[in-house]
């Protein structure tokens, strides 16, 4: 299941930069041209030490990935490297030979060759990344992909350049994917752990974020929540990581916390995952998956999810089974809950939410008791037992007692008479309101401050302004001088008139 | 290696004799563990002979059983965490052990008795859904947890004799202690007063004197002549306006606003 679910997660076409849009508006670039321009950008990024360009290239990765095929990749490699270059040979070895590629390549080759010099290793890794994604896309080349992934990871570690970090993070993700498709995810763990250590020592935030997520995914895939939790507590997720990585991290964290019954934290994490995730339409799989957990966790917290959630275009179908569970919990009917549970058990198991949903049983009972306490001021234990389909009056007494202790309802049990007296609801308005208000205000203010901090200014722009100011002052001086001189001039002019 | 084998046979004999010779087992186990460490089998890494591995697993499993029977819970925990490697990492290559699920079930019960519900669920998550539903050794603790959580304490009480294996009974006493405390804390909030007789049935005590000692431990007022227990009413929390905090908050808002404008 996680294969399908997470796949769209990396499909995070973060909004393209303005420039990019302008570029693609008049005539959408052919994939080949785009790869070439990307290589140029990477080159510029390395030579000017400006990681911004690399990020721009990586942003187009998802869109580009869908458009490449064998011949595009061949042509790109052919044209970017001179004829007998060793890298060219190794790269081409990964691509199956296509019939049409050779003559096409020739044309492009001749036109492009004069312009290029020795390419930076980052460009090679980028091309490897593209090939890797391409190999991963179809089923028969997955074995090859795994091989290439291993080789690329080794190569990357051998080259060891900081300017490669951003691309390296993507490579790690692809490596993870290759292992997963090969069904050997647990074998990759030692390698990831070692790479994660190295990345954190080098303050390589991007790779660190990617690797932590890969590891969490691997642990959770094998249901090793204990170890996943230990990993989370022993590492710090780099705060500068990209939104998509953060979104994934929050999702995994939410799942871990939900299993540990820490629903409040699970809820915040899943909410963060939803907020940071790309729009629902671009990554529907991830969106649905997170919402499944979100709904269950919300139910476990004793809340009822918003109904509009289930009408969302992307979610409506996927969450159908969950909607029925919500209905059962809301009415507090154990019988309905049990029948819905058994009806959709297969789906819940596939979603890995089954064990969480089983825990809802107590919530159903609690909701039932709460409804009774609201509608009756006094009700006998026997009636509670009948209405909630409990097994015995004795059980009913314990269950009501527990509900009172847990603060689900206000009331008392009068044992001698065998009934429950329900107290009045507490007034909801108290000091905690100001606390909540304060928390929200603090969030808004923090958001404001963060966005002020996050604003980017062009480098050395203030110099220009300074120069302009300097010039203005100079002119002013001149003007003043002229005026002074002008006084004289007036006198000089006098005789002319 | 040779000595390891003789010790292993010795352990097997001591454990399988009826009744099992616990003292002998306890004497042999440390020697075996040292032997395992020397052979690199206690925490196996990489490719190890499968036969050796299952012997190592067998030794640790017996160790776990022995420590439960001698009521040495910390030692059981240690054996269990050492067994994890065999149960998880080598699950594909090793033939399944028939003691695996009983030991896992025991571990689950142990977590329940300590009220470590979060750990309980984390452990449970690593098991397959059909194992949870079908396997009697796992089903037992799972049901107990469900009843504990919803408050059906009488079912828990009723299930104490239905333990799937002898070892589970070692935990029954402490489990009963846990539910008694749970019930007591429920009663404190849910009742104003309770007749002694009924309190005894609710708390699963067989005679009144036990109730009285239990009540004294929890600080309840017992009225022996009327035969009732009165629970201390919790004082209504006083509503107080947290002036200091409100002022601090308002000042902070003012400062931040100043920065924005």
């Amino acid at each position: 299941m996680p294969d399908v679910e997470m796949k769209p997660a990396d499909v995070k076409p973060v909004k393209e930069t303005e420039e990019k849009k302008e570029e693609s508006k008049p005539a959408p670039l052919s994939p080949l041209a785009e790869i070439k321009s990307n290589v140029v950008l990477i080159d510029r990024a390395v030579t000017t030490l400006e990681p911004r360009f690399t990020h721009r290239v990586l942003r187009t990765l998802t869109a580009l990935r869908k458009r490449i095929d064998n011949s595009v990749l061949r042509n790109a490699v052919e044209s970017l490297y001179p004829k007998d270059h060793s890298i060219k040979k190794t790269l081409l070895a990964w691509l199956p030979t296509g019939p049409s590629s050779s003559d096409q390549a020739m044309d492009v080759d001749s036109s492009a060759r004069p312009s290029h010099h020795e390419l930076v290793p980052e460009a090679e890794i980028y091309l490897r990344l593209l090939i890797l994604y391409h190999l991963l896309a179809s089923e028969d080349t997955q074995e090859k992909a795994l091989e290439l992934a291993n080789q690329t990871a080794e190569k990357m570690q051998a080259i060891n350049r900081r300017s490669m970090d951003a691309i390296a993070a993507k490579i790690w993700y692809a490596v993870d994917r290759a292992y997963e498709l090969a069904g050997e995810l647990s074998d990759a763990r030692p390698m990831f752990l070692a790479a994660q250590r190295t990345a954190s020592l080098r303050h390589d935030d991007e790779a660190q974020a990617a690797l932590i997520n890969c590891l969490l995914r691997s642990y959770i895939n094998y249901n090793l929540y204990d170890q996943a939790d230990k990993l989370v507590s022993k590492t710090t997720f780099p705060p500068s990581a990209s939104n998509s990585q953060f979104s994934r991290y929050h999702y995994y964290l939410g799942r871990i916390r939900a299993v540990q019954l820490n629903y409040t934290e699970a809820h915040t994490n899943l909410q963060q995952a939803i907020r940071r995730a790309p729009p629902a339409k671009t990554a529907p799989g991830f969106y649905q998956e997170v919402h499944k957990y979100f709904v269950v966790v919300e139910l476990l917290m004793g809340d009822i999810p918003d109904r509009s959630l289930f009408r969302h275009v992307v979610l409506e179908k996927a969450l159908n089974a969950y909607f029925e569970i919500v209905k059962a919990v809301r009415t507090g009917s154990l019988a309905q809950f049990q029948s819905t549970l058994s009806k959709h058990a297969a789906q819940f198991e596939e979603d890995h939410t089954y064990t969480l949903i089983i825990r809802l049983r107590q919530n159903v009972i609690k909701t039932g008791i709460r409804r009774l306490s609201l509608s009756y001021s006094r009700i006998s234990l026997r009636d509670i037992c009948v209405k909630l389909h409990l097994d015995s009056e004795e059980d009913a007494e314990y269950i009501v007692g527990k509900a009172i202790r847990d603060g689900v309802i206000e009331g008392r049990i009068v044992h001698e008479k065998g009934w429950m007296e329900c107290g009045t609801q507490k007034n909801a308005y108290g000091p905690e309101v100001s606390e909540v208000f304060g928390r929200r205000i603090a969030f808004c203010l923090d958001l404001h401050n963060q966005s002020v901090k996050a604003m980017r200014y062009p480098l050395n722009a203030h110099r220009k302004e300074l120069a302009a100011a300097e010039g203005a002052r100079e002119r002013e001086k001149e003007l003043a001088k002229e005026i002074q001189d002008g006084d004289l001039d007036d006198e000089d002019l006098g005789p002319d008139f | 290696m040779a000595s390891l084998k003789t010790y292993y046979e010795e352990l097997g004999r001591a454990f399988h004799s009826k009744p099992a010779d616990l003292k002998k087992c306890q004497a042999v186990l440390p020697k075996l563990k040292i032997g395992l460490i020397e052979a690199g089998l206690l925490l196996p890494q990489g490719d190890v002979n499968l036969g050796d591995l299952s012997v190592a697993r067998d030794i640790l499993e017996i160790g776990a059983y022995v420590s439960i029977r001698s009521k040495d819970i910390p030692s059981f925990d240690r054996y269990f965490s050492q067994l994890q490697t065999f149960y998880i990492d080598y699950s594909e290559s090793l033939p399944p052990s028939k003691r695996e699920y009983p030991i896992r079930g025991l571990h689950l019960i142990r977590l329940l008795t300590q009220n470590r519900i979060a750990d309980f669920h984390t452990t449970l998550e690593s098991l397959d859904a059909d194992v949870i539903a079908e396997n009697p050794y796992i089903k037992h603790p799972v049901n107990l947890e469900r009843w504990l959580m919803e408050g059906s304490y009488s079912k828990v009480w009723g299930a104490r004799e239905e333990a799937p294996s002898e070892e589970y009974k070692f935990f029954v006493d402490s489990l009963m202690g846990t539910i008694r405390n749970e019930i007591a804390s429920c009663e404190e909030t849910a009742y104003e007063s309770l007749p002694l007789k009924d309190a005894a049935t609710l708390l699963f005590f067989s005679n009144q004197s036990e109730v009285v000692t239990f009540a004294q431990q929890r600080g309840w007022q017992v009225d022996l002549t009327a035969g009732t227990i009165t629970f201390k009413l919790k004082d209504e929390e006083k509503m107080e306006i947290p002036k200091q905090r409100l002022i601090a908050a308002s000042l902070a808002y003012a400062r931040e606003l100043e920065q924005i404008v």
Side-chain angles (χ1 to χ4, degrees), chain B residues 106-249:
Chain B
L106 284 170
H107 179 67
L108 287 173
I109 294 229
R110 140 149 184 78
L111 292 176
L112 269 191
T113 53
Q114 286 190 320
N115 230 345
R116 283 158 64 184
I117 305 294
D119 289 333
F120 178 86
H121 281 286
T122 327
T123 321
L124 202 59
E125 203 70 29
S126 60
L127 296 170
D128 289 335
D130 47 328
V131 171
I132 296 173
E134 305 294 331
N135 196 304
Y137 297 108
I138 304 295
K139 216 166 93 180
H140 183 64
V142 169
N143 280 337
L144 287 182
E145 191 267 352
R146 201 165 297 162
W147 293 328
L148 275 179
M149 280 300 117
E150 58 183 45
S152 315
Y153 297 118
S154 58
K155 281 192 191 142
V156 182
W157 181 254
R160 73 189 189 287
E161 293 303 325
E162 296 165 15
S165 85
E166 269 310 294
E167 280 74 16
Y168 282 65
K169 294 196 174 139
F170 289 104
F171 286 111
V172 164
D173 288 339
S174 59
L175 191 64
M176 289 308 127
T178 318
I179 36 174
R180 248 179 220 141
N181 280 324
E182 278 283 303
I183 298 173
S185 77
C186 290
E187 286 179 354
E188 278 167 15
T189 40
Y191 300 88
E192 277 165 19
S193 68
L194 205 60
L196 264 181
K197 197 159 56 63
D198 295 331
T201 29
L202 282 175
L203 288 165
F204 309 113
F205 282 121
S206 50
N207 61 55
Q208 291 206 1
S209 60
E210 277 174 349
V211 186
V212 175
T213 32
F214 186 76
Q216 274 158 356
Q217 275 169 17
R218 292 197 69 97
W220 296 341
Q221 290 160 356
V222 186
D223 190 346
L224 277 176
T225 46
T228 54
I229 300 176
T230 329
F231 303 105
K232 258 186 266 170
L233 275 181
K234 263 197 267 158
D235 305 324
E236 288 291 306
E237 318 95 75
K238 269 184 276 171
M239 288 280 275
E240 213 177 308
I241 297 172
K243 303 176 199 102
Q244 202 96 30
R245 230 191 39 232
L246 282 179
I247 294 171

Side-chain angles (χ1 to χ4, degrees), chain A residues 189 222-227 259-261 349 352 354-356 358-359 361-362 365-366 390-392 394-395 397-406 411-416 426 429-432 434-435 437-439 441-442 445 448-449, chain B residues 88-89 117-119 121-122 124-129 132 145-146 148-155 181-183 185-195 198 201-204 228 233 237 239-240 242 245-246 252-253 256-257 259-260:
Chain A
R189 232 178 269 149
Y222 290 90
N223 284 330
L224 298 171
Y225 286 92
D226 205 20
Q227 299 186 35
V259 167
Q260 294 174 330
L261 288 98
E349 257 169 54
H352 290 236
Y354 189 72
T355 41
L356 289 180
I358 289 182
R359 291 189 210 163
R361 207 182 122 85
Q362 347 150 5
I365 296 175
K366 275 186 194 164
L390 299 175
D391 293 339
S392 67
E394 213 182 356
D395 274 339
E397 184 164 357
Y398 286 123
I399 291 172
V400 171
K402 194 171 153 67
I404 294 175
R405 187 199 57 173
D406 293 348
R412 324 216 121 254
I413 301 173
V414 183
H415 184 81
E416 296 86 338
K426 246 201 265 171
Y429 205 83
E432 56 279 7
S434 79
E435 222 167 273
F437 177 71
R439 240 191 349 256
I441 290 280
L445 288 171
H448 173 265
N449 289 341
Chain B
I88 297 172
D89 298 336
I117 305 294
D119 289 333
H121 281 286
T122 327
L124 202 59
E125 203 70 29
S126 60
L127 296 170
D128 289 335
I132 296 173
E145 191 267 352
R146 201 165 297 162
L148 275 179
M149 280 300 117
E150 58 183 45
S152 315
Y153 297 118
S154 58
K155 281 192 191 142
N181 280 324
E182 278 283 303
I183 298 173
S185 77
C186 290
E187 286 179 354
E188 278 167 15
T189 40
Y191 300 88
E192 277 165 19
S193 68
L194 205 60
D198 295 331
T201 29
L202 282 175
L203 288 165
F204 309 113
T228 54
L233 275 181
E237 318 95 75
M239 288 280 275
E240 213 177 308
R245 230 191 39 232
L246 282 179
Y253 299 157
E256 294 282 345
L257 271 179
Q259 278 178 9
I260 294 174

